Amino acid sequence: MRAYECVQASRSAGRPTAKAYIDGMIDNFIEMHGDRRFGDDTAVISGIGSLSGMPVTVIGIEKGTDTADKLKHNFGSANPEGYRKSLRQIKLAEKFHRPILCLVDTSGAYCGVGAEERGQGQAIAENMSELMTVRTPVLSIVIGEGGSGGALALAVADEVWMLEDAYYSVISPEGAASILWKDANRAREAAESLHLTAKDLHEFGVIERIVPSVQEGGVDMQRLKDAIAETFRRNLALDADVLLDKRYQKFRKIGGGCA
């Protein structure tokens, strides 16, 4: 699949959203609301549940399904309170030594005036900083769009996985084409230049695993659930200092082989 085809597939109607993954893999999920500062951002679903008998914290960026649902979830573009809600759950997970599963699917963080006034950049930066040092296992999966800092805020993890027809990039192809060539119609060309596919990013060492699709936008939920459980059990067995060092080294190595 070519780069822009992955971008189109990640945006396709009917593609499973974060809620579908939670429903398919997490038992007895209890959603937690609010950031205790401003309000509750419905673009982010977070809470606790059980994965293969293991207590876990789950944080997912939810795009919504039909038009009303997409509007409710702001099309998966989180405000600062969404990231602060995530951070609250991250710290709770650390307190109880629960592994954290992040499900990323966003074109980017919301860029409205209100979001900027409430500290969007700071909220994203705080998430990235805290995830780097949180003393419990973290796994992030890009299930659709992985757009810019809005995705990176939940993708600082021990391992980052991607669906084979997802994308993960600092900017959308349309945005890159508009900046570089002042022509959004060159998005297909920009997508190839950005190397945003799972295959490219796996070769660069940015992600650890490519999750195969069994149908358009879908995965084998049971197989994915088993793989997540295995990864969490392996990382829970590590001493926290060892886990943190491995996480740190993972990100230090990215780009090391580039000219």
Side-chain angles (χ1 to χ4, degrees):
M1 186 178 286
R2 300 296 295 271
Y4 198 63
E5 291 173 346
C6 287
V7 174
Q8 291 174 313
S10 74
R11 299 168 175 170
S12 63
R15 187 182 182 94
T17 64
K19 189 176 185 302
Y21 284 81
I22 293 170
D23 291 343
M25 297 190 296
I26 308 300
D27 298 319
N28 305 313
F29 181 71
I30 300 172
E31 186 175 355
M32 304 292 187
H33 297 274
D35 67 343
R36 293 188 175 177
R37 295 191 193 182
F38 181 82
D40 183 44
D41 185 358
T42 53
V44 176
I45 296 176
S46 65
I48 58 176
S50 176
L51 185 146
S52 298
M54 181 191 321
V56 295
T57 288
V58 184
I59 303 167
I61 302 177
E62 173 62 28
K63 278 187 172 182
T65 50
D66 57 27
T67 302
D69 201 38
K70 288 177 185 292
L71 288 168
K72 174 185 174 182
H73 295 287
N74 201 32
F75 297 86
S77 292
N79 280 279
E81 47 272 21
Y83 295 112
R84 292 180 179 128
K85 175 168 68 172
S86 303
L87 183 56
R88 180 181 163 216
Q89 296 307 314
I90 289 164
K91 300 304 288 184
L92 277 173
E94 181 180 44
K95 178 179 179 179
F96 295 103
H97 202 49
R98 286 193 301 263
I100 302 165
L101 173 63
C102 298
L103 302 169
V104 176
D105 187 11
T106 181
S107 59
Y110 188 57
C111 56
V113 173
E116 295 300 325
E117 289 175 341
R118 298 194 298 277
Q120 184 71 285
Q122 182 184 31
I124 291 171
E126 285 178 347
N127 263 37
M128 293 169 62
S129 176
E130 292 293 334
L131 279 170
M132 183 60 77
T133 58
V134 68
R135 297 174 70 83
T136 198
V138 186
L139 172 63
S140 183
I141 306 176
V142 182
I143 60 172
E145 291 191 271
S148 193
L152 190 57
L154 292 177
V156 176
D158 304 305
E159 294 187 23
V160 179
W161 300 356
M162 278 180 69
L163 267 66
E164 64 180 345
D165 58 355
Y167 84 90
Y168 186 25
S169 174
V170 68
I171 191 171
S172 70
E174 293 83 4
S178 296
I179 292 170
L180 292 174
W181 303 301
K182 304 295 187 290
D183 184 4
N185 291 323
R186 294 178 68 177
R188 190 176 296 275
E189 183 181 349
E192 295 292 340
S193 299
L194 286 167
H195 297 285
L196 45 67
T197 67
K199 182 177 181 293
D200 287 334
L201 295 170
H202 188 262
E203 290 176 357
F204 295 148
V206 175
I207 68 168
E208 280 67 41
R209 182 178 299 198
I210 300 173
V211 180
S213 297
V214 294
Q215 57 188 17
E216 186 177 348
V219 299
D220 183 330
M221 286 286 184
Q222 186 59 52
R223 185 177 177 184
L224 179 59
K225 179 178 178 179
D226 292 342
I228 294 169
E230 179 186 352
T231 300
F232 279 155
R233 290 192 182 101
R234 182 177 68 247
N235 287 336
L236 281 168
L238 295 175
D239 179 82
D241 289 333
V242 174
L243 182 70
L244 290 184
D245 185 62
K246 286 169 66 70
R247 190 182 305 159
Y248 175 77
Q249 293 302 329
K250 162 191 159 61
F251 285 94
R252 288 290 294 172
K253 290 175 184 176
I254 292 175
C258 298

